[in-house]
Amino acid sequence: MNRRTLINTLGLAPLALISSKITSFDSIVAHLIKRWKKSEEYTLAVFNTMPSAEIEFRPSKEQFSFAQHFLHLAFINVTYFGVLMDSKTYKDIYALLEADFIIPPPDGIDVFQPDTLKARPSEENAALVSRYVSQTYAYVLSSLNQLEDAQLTAGLDKEKPEYLSGHTYLDLIIRGEAHTAHHRAQAIAYLRMKGIRPPGYSINNKF
């Protein structure tokens, strides 16, 4: 039985006919933009669930504070997308931290070691953190809006810090979201320690 006879016997339409009936999908970049918009909404929802007076809470002195997890993930997102978008290259973390695209966190807070915001009313500090997270997501979304699908597999050989070696532009985007989820989850654990119910995952992640 030849291929055409088999197709007719099984009642299968030729591939060209099938593909002509399939509704075209949005681009991959369009889906990534939708995902990162949801990421921003959920991240801010988690942050805003902690009372402002408790944002400096940390389970131990060796750990990030609740606020620091958000400052850290926001800062790191800027570095990933900066590496992706900037025509310049950065051979190591030290060069990267001097890049023009860096958005410094409020109070120059250390986003790699335990640190605290300056003493001020807790509502002001909470507003500073929330604003910083929003600023960095704006940079992420602005970057994504400048990309096309064909660019996502590029960047593999672009010079970048060793811990990002072997990453295409799509890898950087996915790693940023994975890193965000990693720190957001720790912040959710802090809410639980305080007896606070965190925002639901499913309701905050459906399109």
Side-chain angles (χ1 to χ4, degrees), residues 4-177:
R4 183 176 297 277
T5 302
L6 178 61
I7 289 173
N8 290 336
T9 301
L10 297 176
L12 300 176
L15 183 59
L17 180 60
I18 294 172
S19 62
S20 70
K21 301 295 184 182
I22 297 175
T23 303
S24 61
F25 291 99
D26 290 338
S27 70
I28 296 171
V29 169
H31 282 283
L32 290 170
I33 290 170
K34 287 169 64 178
R35 170 48 48 204
W36 277 88
K37 284 180 177 177
K38 279 295 180 183
S39 176
E40 178 180 13
E41 292 172 10
Y42 185 37
T43 299
L44 286 171
V46 172
F47 177 74
N48 291 328
T49 300
M50 181 70 89
S52 59
E54 299 289 349
I55 65 168
E56 295 281 23
F57 168 71
R58 69 186 78 229
S60 71
K61 65 181 182 180
E62 292 84 11
Q63 292 176 269
F64 278 178
S65 69
F66 181 83
Q68 261 189 294
H69 279 292
F70 294 89
L71 295 171
H72 175 84
L73 70 86
F75 181 86
I76 295 301
N77 282 339
V78 170
T79 67
Y80 287 170
F81 277 82
V83 166
L84 189 164
M85 300 301 297
D86 202 336
S87 58
K88 298 178 183 177
T89 59
Y90 302 91
K91 65 179 181 178
D92 55 39
I93 184 65
Y94 304 105
L96 183 57
L97 295 179
E98 298 297 322
D100 292 338
F101 56 76
I102 291 294
I103 303 175
D107 294 347
I109 197 167
D110 193 329
V111 294
F112 298 105
Q113 298 294 332
D115 198 1
T116 57
L117 291 159
K118 291 181 180 178
R120 58 170 65 88
S122 58
E123 294 84 0
E124 290 183 25
N125 275 342
L128 282 173
V129 176
S130 180
R131 189 178 308 122
Y132 183 71
V133 171
S134 294
Q135 288 174 336
T136 57
Y137 268 101
Y139 178 76
V140 166
L141 290 167
S142 174
S143 299
L144 285 171
N145 273 292
Q146 297 175 55
L147 294 176
E148 297 180 356
D149 285 5
Q151 296 171 273
L152 295 176
T153 55
L156 186 65
D157 298 323
K158 184 177 182 179
E159 184 180 36
K160 53 182 85 70
E162 188 277 332
Y163 66 95
L164 299 177
S165 62
H167 284 45
T168 64
Y169 294 155
L170 181 58
D171 292 329
L172 289 170
I173 294 167
I174 293 173
R175 181 162 170 176
E177 173 59 6

